[in-house]
Amino acid sequence: MAFLVLFNVLPVGAWAAPAPTPAAPLQTEADSAVLMDPTTGTVLFEKNPHKRVAPASVTKLMTMLIAVEALEQGRISLEDKVVTSQRAYEMGGSQIYLEPGEEMSMKDLLTSIAVQSANDACVAVAEHLSGSYEAFVEEMNKKAESLGLQNTHFANPHGLPAENHYTSAYDMAVVAREALKYPKVREFFSIKHYKIRPDSSKPMLLDNHNKLLWWYPGTDGFKTGWTSEAKYCLVSTVEREGLRFVAAVFGVPEIRGHFKETMKLYNYGFARYTYKSVAKAGEILGNVPVGKGEKETVSAIPQGIPGILVERGKEKGIESRIELQPYVDAPVSAGQKIGELVILQSGNEIRRVDLVAKEEVAQGKFSTMLTKMMQKMYGFQ
């Protein structure tokens, strides 16, 4: 689609892009680890990033991603009543003790996966969403393939030890990056406490296993894991003042060590990097002419707070330019893409941020269109 380049905005000096894997004075007890900038996918720290490891319950991040994508696509709804199968009932490990034939809402089941790490809920959701357990696992692997994951293969949706069930720290950081596209995923994983079956004879209070939600400000995801094979692992995300990181740690031997090692990564990231914004959230960055609309123009605003990760001390020389569509026909929906904000470094493009319509513009009525035409033809006001 053609865009109209309007002007450069907010020049803020020269910026050197962070090295993909800088040498860093950071030691971690994790067997493998990755700290990633999810905006660009740049790896800021790594240790054995591509080593194949047992994912344990971190598997459930992919399960939740598949489920929330299905929600977005309208394939399922949070109000769906899911019936527990014998297979779901027989699952061991962490669970919410579903009974055969028990009905529970999709919302409660997804929350149980995110908060309680419930294996039985994973099976119930998988069967409801894909028609069978096996079909859901196939869907997980297709998603892994579409993300370009080279060291990931799933054998189940819950993470209990199984043959040919593996991932890597880098691959799971990529899954987390994909999950960030769906705010609903973070919404589920950031719930600290949740009560299921509140009015039944067997209510259950769930407590989130991710202690970073309490211990590390800005945490809003994702998933812990442990098995004797995998040891302690955690894939998480933190955001402070516009700067977001994703961290993945696997194979930590010490109890609660996955939290300690993850906080090391985040402390390193926040100490070394900052976020340089080039516009404010909701700031009007231009106007696009509207054809056949009740209004003649629509305002363009950025999605989120547009900017880039910058190594501290190297914040100079960033510039940006606005590219808007030359026009758009009504009706225009609020949030509809009508341009892009391009962020550059030394003339090289670093990132594009969508510019969207600030408000809805309805299609003009015939009388309105006739009046506009007469105004243009005869100069009427």
Side-chain angles (χ1 to χ4, degrees):
M1 179 174 290
F3 288 97
L4 176 65
V5 182
L6 292 186
F7 50 82
N8 290 340
V9 295
L10 297 180
V12 290
W15 175 68
T21 54
L26 177 62
Q27 300 295 322
T28 176
E29 297 300 315
D31 183 50
S32 59
V34 162
L35 179 69
M36 179 181 284
D37 167 21
T39 299
T40 62
T42 302
V43 175
L44 308 172
F45 174 83
E46 63 180 27
K47 177 183 177 182
N48 299 325
H50 304 296
K51 180 180 179 179
R52 291 185 177 183
V53 295
S57 284
V58 171
T59 300
K60 296 181 176 84
L61 177 56
M62 179 62 92
T63 299
M64 290 293 293
L65 173 59
I66 297 294
V68 170
E69 282 186 339
L71 283 173
E72 296 284 330
Q73 296 163 1
R75 293 167 54 196
I76 58 173
S77 77
L78 294 179
E79 291 71 40
D80 283 358
K81 293 299 182 182
V82 182
V83 180
T84 303
S85 68
Q86 186 69 24
R87 186 172 195 167
Y89 164 71
E90 292 174 352
M91 287 304 307
S94 182
Q95 57 186 299
I96 53 172
Y97 304 100
L98 292 170
E99 297 286 343
E102 179 179 357
E103 286 190 359
M104 187 171 285
S105 71
M106 179 62 69
K107 179 182 177 181
D108 282 357
L109 287 170
L110 293 179
T111 306
S112 298
I113 295 170
V115 177
Q116 182 66 16
S117 194
N119 297 328
D120 48 359
C122 285
V123 177
V125 167
E127 293 174 334
H128 182 83
L129 196 158
S130 299
S132 73
Y133 180 95
E134 291 77 15
F136 186 84
V137 173
E138 183 178 346
E139 197 165 343
M140 295 171 73
N141 286 314
K142 284 182 179 178
K143 183 65 178 179
E145 183 179 358
S146 74
L147 293 174
L149 307 187
Q150 299 296 309
N151 294 290
T152 295
H153 186 272
F154 297 106
N156 61 58
H158 42 69
L160 290 177
E163 185 179 354
N164 211 27
H165 188 78
Y166 55 83
T167 191
S168 70
Y170 175 81
D171 283 5
M172 268 299 166
V174 172
V175 174
R177 183 187 181 203
E178 180 73 7
L180 287 172
K181 296 178 181 179
Y182 302 92
K184 201 72 178 175
V185 178
R186 294 204 316 278
E187 181 181 323
F188 278 117
F189 278 111
S190 61
I191 296 170
K192 293 181 178 179
H193 308 287
Y194 192 81
K195 195 171 188 177
I196 57 171
R197 309 184 190 95
D199 302 318
S200 73
S201 59
K202 55 171 190 175
M204 187 174 179
L205 181 63
L206 313 181
D207 296 307
N208 202 305
H209 295 188
N210 185 5
K211 301 303 180 185
L212 291 191
L213 293 172
W214 289 268
W215 296 351
Y216 206 85
T219 302
D220 53 2
F222 284 112
K223 191 68 194 75
T224 60
W226 179 87
T227 63
S228 58
E229 176 190 19
K231 300 180 182 177
Y232 292 95
C233 43
L234 172 64
V235 175
S236 59
T237 185
V238 167
E239 191 268 342
R240 294 181 185 174
E241 298 180 353
L243 179 57
R244 181 175 288 279
F245 295 114
V246 160
V249 298
F250 286 86
V252 182
E254 179 186 354
I255 187 171
R256 294 192 171 182
H258 48 330
F259 302 125
K260 181 177 71 174
E261 300 308 311
T262 296
M263 288 190 284
K264 282 185 186 178
L265 295 181
Y266 287 137
N267 288 341
Y268 167 81
F270 285 115
R272 190 176 179 111
Y273 299 98
T274 187
Y275 187 79
K276 197 68 180 181
S277 61
V278 296
K280 298 176 182 178
E283 181 179 354
I284 296 175
L285 298 181
N287 294 284
V288 174
V290 178
K292 305 175 184 177
E294 289 188 339
K295 294 174 60 179
E296 293 188 354
T297 63
V298 62
S299 297
I301 61 173
Q303 283 192 329
I305 304 174
I308 52 174
L309 184 83
V310 185
E311 194 167 354
R312 292 186 184 275
K314 298 181 180 179
E315 296 97 334
K316 298 179 180 179
I318 305 164
E319 61 181 5
S320 60
R321 70 169 184 262
I322 294 170
E323 297 180 357
L324 293 176
Q325 294 176 213
Y327 71 93
V328 60
D329 282 330
V332 180
S333 303
Q336 179 179 327
K337 181 177 177 179
I338 55 175
E340 294 179 329
L341 177 64
V342 185
I343 305 174
L344 306 100
Q345 176 257 325
S346 301
N348 297 316
E349 182 178 316
I350 302 298
R351 183 190 176 199
R352 286 179 175 259
V353 178
D354 286 349
L355 297 177
V356 300
K358 182 180 180 182
E359 64 277 320
E360 176 184 337
V361 179
Q363 197 165 21
K365 297 178 181 178
F366 176 76
S367 58
T368 303
M369 302 303 298
L370 182 61
T371 300
K372 287 183 178 180
M373 184 175 66
M374 296 295 289
Q375 290 173 341
K376 290 180 179 179
M377 290 178 63
Y378 300 108
F380 297 156
Q381 299 297 321

